[in-house]
C-alpha cells in the first residue's frame, strides 16, 4: 500500500532540487508525495541555515509536527520524522537534542542513503544521524530517471562553496566546491526532457565556477556546458543560478551572445555597493569590477536583465557605505533583487565583528536602511514591468492560474505572466502581448502559437 510522504522545503533552489531527488529515492519504497503533513507516514523538513530566522523556523515547525506524530501513534500508526538540509548539516545533534522525537537527521550530501536510514528508523526507536561528507558521491547513486512536474526544472550541476564570504554558512553546510561530470549532467538533462521539460535551470551555489570533467578527462566550463546542453533536442530555454561575480568569464559572457536558448537574464549577487564593505565580506571583487562585467554583458546582449542580492547592516557598514549601495542600485537598475538585514551566524568570521559594539549596526538602523533599499529596488522592478506593456514576450505557460481558464507562465526575465488560455496550452511556449503590469506580475493576451503547434 502507498505510504504518504510530505516534504516541506525551505531556503534556496538547491533545496528544491534535493527535495525532488529525495522523493525519487523514496518512491521505490512505496512513498507517494502528499501536499499535507496531516496523517503522513513520513514528513521531511528540508531546511535552510542562511539567516537566524530561517533556522529558527524549523524548530517551531517541528513542535507542531510533534503533535501530529503523537496523534498518529495514538491510532496505532507511525510517522517518521526527518530533518535534512543545511540546519541538519550545521547542527545535527542540536536538532536531536531540541527535538528528540525526530527519527532521522541527514545532511544534503547523504540522502542517497535514505533507504538504509528508513529501514533503521522503522525498526527501532533509535535515531539516525548521518551528516557525513561521504566519499561515495550522492549523484552517482541517485536514480537515473527523472520525474518532472511540468515544463520547467532544476538541475544541480555544482555544489558547495570555497569562497568563504565572512557572513555566510554555505561553505560549512554544503562543503567544498564539487562539479558533476559533464556526461552525468547531460544524461540528467535528457532524462528531464524525456519527462516533458523544455526549460532547465542549471544550479550551483557557485554555478559559474563549474568545472566538470569531460569524458576525455578535459575540463568543461559552464560556458562549454551551456553550449552542450543547448544542442539537446526538445529544450527551449536554459538558465543558470547563482553566479559569483569574480567567476564571470568572457567566454560565459560570449555564450550569452551566441546561445539563443540561454535566457537574457542573469542573477548576479553583489551584496553591497561599497568596496570597503565588499572587502570586509571577503568578496573577491570590487564595485568597479562588477560594473565592468555588467558593461560587457550589456554589450554582448543588449537588453539583458540583471537581478541581485544585498545585505544591509554588515558589521562596520557606515552611512556613507550604504549610500554607495543606493547609488549602485540607482545606476544598475536591477529588475529584481533579494535584500536582507545582516544576520550573525555562529562560527563565521563576521559574527566576531558583530559581537563588538564598535562594529555592530543597530537593529533600527538596519531596518531603516533595508526599507530605503527595498523601496528603490521595488520601484525599479515596477518600472521594468511597466515598460513591458505593449511588447510581445515568449512565455512558457507552466502553471494553471487561480481562476479557471487562466494560465500563468514566465517571461524570459522570470516575470510571472497571467494569460487567458485553454488548458491544452499548459507547458507550451506562447507569444504573449503584455497588456498590464503590476509589481509582482504581468497580464497579457495570446498572440499566436509560437512553434510546436505550427511545426
Ligand atoms: N551563492 C550565492 C548565494 C548564497 S546565499 C552567492 O554567493 O551570491 C543567498 C543570499 O543570502 C546571499 O546572496 C546573501 O545576500 C544572503 N545571505 C547570506 N548570508 C547572510 C547573512 N549572514 N545575513 C544576511 N543575509 C545573508
Ligand atoms: Fe556564501 Fe559567498 Fe559562497 Fe555565496 S559565494 S555561498 S555568499 S560564501
Ligand atoms: Fe539555505 Fe543551505 Fe540554500 S543555508 S540558502 S538551503 S545552501
Amino acid at each position: 500500500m502507498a505510504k504518504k510522504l510530505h516534504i516541506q522545503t525551505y531556503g534556496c533552489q538547491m533545496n528544491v532540487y534535493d527535495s525532488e531527488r529525495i522523493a525519487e529515492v523514496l518512491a521505490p519504497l512505496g512513498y507517494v508525495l502528499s501536499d499535507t503533513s496531516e496523517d503522513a507516514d513520513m514528513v521531511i523538513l528540508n531546511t535552510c541555515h542562511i539567516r537566524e530566522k530561517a533556522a529558527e523556523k524549523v524548530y517551531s515547525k517541528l513542535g507542531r509536527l510533534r503533535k501530529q506524530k503523537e496523534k498518529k501513534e495514538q491510532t496505532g500508526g507511525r510517522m517518521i520524522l526527518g530533518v535534512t538540509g543545511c540546519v541538519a548539516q550545521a547542527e545535527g545533534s542540536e536538532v536531536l537534542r531540541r527535538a528528540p522525537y525526530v527519527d532521522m537527521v541527514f545532511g544534503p550530501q547523504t540522502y542517497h542513503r535514505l533507504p538504509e536510514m528508513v529501514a533503521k528508523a522503522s525498526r527501532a526507536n533509535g535515531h539516525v544521524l548521518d551528516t557525513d561528507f561521504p566519499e561515495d558521491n550522492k549523484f552517482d547513486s541517485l536514480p537515473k530517471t527523472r520525474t518532472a512536474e511540468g515544463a520547467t526544472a532544476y538541475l544541480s550541476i555544482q555544489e558547495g562553496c570555497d569562497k568563504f564570504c565572512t557572513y555566510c554558512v554555505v561553505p560549512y553546510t554544503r562543503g567544498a566546491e564539487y562539479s558533476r561530470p559533464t556526461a552525468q549532467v547531460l544524461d540528467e538533462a535528457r532524462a528531464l526532457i524525456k519527462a516533458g521539460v523544455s526549460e532547465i535551470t542549471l544550479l550551483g551555489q557557485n554555478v559559474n565556477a563549474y568545472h566538470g570533467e569531460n569524458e576525455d578527462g578535459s575540463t568543461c566550463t559552464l560556458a562549454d556546458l551551456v553550449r552542450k546542453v543547448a544542442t539537446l533536442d526538445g529544450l527551449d530555454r536554459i538558465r543558470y543560478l547563482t553566479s559569483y561575480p569574480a567567476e564571470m568569464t568572457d567566454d560565459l559572457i560570449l555564450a550569452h551572445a551566441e546561445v539563443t536558448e540561454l535566457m537574457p537574464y542573469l542573477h548576479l549577487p553583489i551584496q553591497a555597493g561599497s568596496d570597503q564593505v565588499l572587502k570586509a565580506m571577503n568578496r573577491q571583487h570590487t564595485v568597479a569590477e562588477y560594473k565592468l562585467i555588467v558593461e560587457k554583458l550589456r554589450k554582448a546582449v543588449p537588453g539583458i536583465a540583471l537581478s541581485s542580492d544585498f545585505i544591509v547592516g554588515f558589521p562596520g557598514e557606515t552611512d556613507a557605505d550604504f549610500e554607495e549601495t543606493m547609488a549602485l542600485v540607482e545606476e544598475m537598475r536591477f529588475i529584481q533583487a533579494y535584500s536582507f538585514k545582516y544576520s550573525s551566524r555562529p562560527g563565521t568570521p563576521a559574527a566576531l565583528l558583530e559581537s563588538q559594539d564598535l562594529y555592530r549596526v543597530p537593529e533600527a538602523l538596519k531596518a531603516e536602511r533595508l526599507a530605503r533599499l527595498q523601496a528603490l529596488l521595488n520601484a525599479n522592478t515596477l518600472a521594468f514591468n511597466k515598460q513591458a506593456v505593449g511588447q510581445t514576450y515568449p512565455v512558457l505557460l507552466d502553471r494553471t492560474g487561480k481562476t479557471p481558464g487562466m494560465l500563468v507562465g514566465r517571461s524570459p526575465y522570470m516575470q510571472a505572466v497571467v494569460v487567458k488560455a485553454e488548458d491544452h496550452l499548459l507547458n507550451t511556449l506562447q507569444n504573449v502581448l503584455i497588456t498590464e503590469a503590476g509589481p509582482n506580475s504581468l497580464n497579457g493576451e495570446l498572440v499566436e502559437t509560437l512553434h510546436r503547434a505550427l511545426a
Side-chain angles (χ1 to χ4, degrees):
M1 213 182 66
K3 288 172 272 190
K4 273 198 215 166
L5 166 68
H6 178 70
I7 306 181
Q8 174 127 20
T9 309
Y10 303 89
C12 64
Q13 291 86 357
M14 310 246 2
N15 268 10
V16 174
Y17 174 85
D18 287 338
S19 290
E20 287 172 7
R21 303 306 322 254
I22 286 170
E24 287 168 4
V25 170
L26 291 171
L29 307 184
Y31 287 96
V32 175
L33 274 178
S34 155
D35 288 342
T36 151
S37 59
E38 202 69 45
D39 199 41
D41 299 285
M42 187 184 297
V43 176
I44 292 176
L45 301 186
N46 194 357
T47 62
C48 175
H49 201 246
I50 202 82
R51 284 167 291 274
E52 191 181 350
K53 263 197 203 135
E56 279 308 311
K57 243 190 237 168
V58 175
Y59 292 102
S60 48
K61 179 73 188 177
L62 282 174
R64 291 195 296 277
L65 285 171
R66 176 188 200 165
K67 297 204 180 75
Q68 291 182 10
K69 184 176 160 86
E70 284 168 357
K71 197 172 140 205
K72 183 127 182 148
E73 271 158 23
Q74 277 154 16
T75 55
R78 173 98 198 267
M79 176 191 284
I80 297 178
L81 196 50
V83 179
T84 185
C86 291
V87 175
Q89 189 63 50
E91 43 187 77
S93 41
E94 176 74 2
V95 171
L96 288 177
R97 194 187 63 77
R98 285 179 66 174
Y101 45 88
V102 168
D103 301 285
M104 309 185 293
V105 176
F106 52 100
Q109 307 309 343
T110 56
Y111 60 78
H112 57 297
R113 299 174 175 170
L114 263 171
E116 296 114 88
M117 291 188 234
V118 173
K120 266 192 210 153
S122 321
R123 267 200 305 271
N125 271 331
H127 306 292
V128 177
L129 177 65
D130 190 351
T131 51
D132 287 359
F133 287 107
E135 285 296 313
D136 60 320
N137 191 283
K138 71 175 176 208
F139 291 113
D140 298 332
S141 317
L142 292 174
K144 297 281 175 269
T145 52
R146 290 292 325 262
T147 47
E149 292 259 314
T152 180
Y154 291 130
L155 199 179
S156 282
I157 62 166
Q158 183 276 338
E159 251 199 289
C161 182
D162 298 341
K163 303 292 185 276
F164 291 94
C165 300
T166 53
Y167 50 82
C168 184
V169 295
V170 170
Y172 314 98
T173 62
R174 295 276 170 169
E177 283 180 13
Y178 168 78
S179 297
R180 297 176 69 184
T182 315
Q184 201 185 68
V185 171
L186 292 173
D187 281 345
E188 189 169 330
R190 282 187 204 98
L192 284 168
I193 295 167
K194 204 169 160 206
V197 165
S198 59
E199 174 183 76
I200 290 180
T201 302
L202 305 170
L203 293 183
Q205 260 94 28
N206 269 295
V207 73
N208 58 345
Y210 177 83
H211 52 279
E213 199 178 281
N214 287 317
E215 267 168 323
D216 64 4
S218 61
T219 299
C220 177
T221 64
L222 180 62
D224 300 334
L225 184 69
V226 162
R227 290 191 168 95
K228 286 177 204 269
V229 172
T231 63
L232 300 177
D233 277 345
L235 197 64
D236 296 323
R237 288 177 162 188
I238 304 171
R239 303 176 185 276
Y240 60 91
L241 265 183
T242 295
S243 292
Y244 187 74
E247 303 273 6
M248 252 355 262
T249 61
D250 287 344
D251 192 29
L252 186 54
I253 293 172
L254 188 66
H256 272 278
E258 291 176 354
V259 180
T260 47
E261 289 83 355
L262 195 54
M263 290 291 101
Y265 173 63
L266 181 67
H267 184 59
L268 194 62
I270 183 164
Q271 313 300 350
S274 141
D275 281 340
Q276 204 169 291
V277 173
L278 290 179
K279 193 155 180 246
M281 288 175 162
N282 191 33
R283 298 286 292 185
Q284 290 146 31
H285 55 86
T286 61
V287 175
E289 282 161 351
Y290 184 90
K291 284 186 189 172
L292 184 63
I293 295 163
V294 171
E295 197 185 306
K296 287 184 191 169
L297 276 162
R298 290 194 163 142
K299 215 181 212 166
V301 185
I304 192 169
L306 294 169
S307 60
S308 204
D309 290 352
F310 294 91
I311 297 176
V312 301
F314 185 81
E317 184 188 69
T318 63
D319 285 339
D321 289 325
F322 177 67
E323 294 310 327
E324 287 188 64
T325 299
M326 292 293 283
L328 176 88
V329 171
E330 196 74 70
E331 187 182 334
M332 290 289 112
R333 308 227 152 253
F334 298 107
I335 68 155
Q336 218 268 322
Y338 296 101
S339 49
F340 315 93
K341 285 189 274 184
Y342 168 74
S343 168
S344 181
R345 307 308 292 126
T348 58
L352 284 177
L353 294 178
E354 179 79 354
S355 67
Q356 299 167 54
D357 292 343
L358 179 63
Y359 292 102
R360 190 181 320 114
V361 177
E363 202 47 39
L365 189 53
K366 278 185 194 166
E368 192 188 310
R369 287 180 185 166
L370 187 64
R372 274 187 62 203
L373 176 63
Q374 290 187 336
L376 181 58
L377 290 168
N378 291 342
N380 284 346
T381 301
L382 185 61
F384 182 75
N385 288 351
K386 292 263 184 230
Q387 60 86 50
V389 174
Q391 299 200 50
T392 298
Y393 282 168
V395 174
L396 182 59
L397 298 167
D398 63 348
R399 282 171 289 155
T400 49
K402 282 190 197 117
T403 37
M406 306 300 275
L407 295 180
V408 185
R410 295 278 171 190
S411 76
Y413 313 106
M414 286 301 282
Q415 295 147 299
V417 185
V418 184
V419 198
K420 185 161 168 272
E422 289 172 27
D423 277 357
H424 72 269
L425 293 180
L426 189 63
N427 295 326
T428 66
L429 198 54
Q430 298 295 330
N431 267 338
V432 175
L433 174 69
I434 307 302
T435 53
E436 268 179 288
N440 302 315
S441 64
L442 310 175
N443 292 330
E445 288 163 10
L446 287 178
V447 173
E448 60 183 298
T449 304
L450 243 193
H451 65 179
R452 295 260 161 81
L454 280 179

